[in-house]
Amino acid sequence: MLELRAPDGSPITSGCGVNGAGDIGPTVLPASGTYTLVVDPSGVATGQVTLTLW
């Protein structure tokens, strides 16, 4: 699961990742500040992730 959170911690949008690929579509950020992208694998899966933001 991928989730983009606003500076206040509230969720803005989410997406999913399957077999090493996933995305969150274009999103307008509603305010200035620091946003958080949460990457939460399903079950007990662990590993590493590479993110590309544009």
Side-chain angles (χ1 to χ4, degrees):
M1 189 261 310
L2 305 170
E3 182 177 71
L4 179 63
R5 293 185 184 172
D8 67 2
S10 62
I12 295 175
T13 188
S14 63
C16 66
V18 177
N19 294 325
D23 72 345
I24 293 177
T27 303
V28 175
L29 302 180
S32 62
T34 301
Y35 288 78
T36 304
L37 181 61
V38 177
V39 179
D40 185 11
S42 62
V44 296
T46 62
Q48 62 186 38
V49 63
T50 300
L51 302 172
T52 302
L53 305 175
W54 68 92

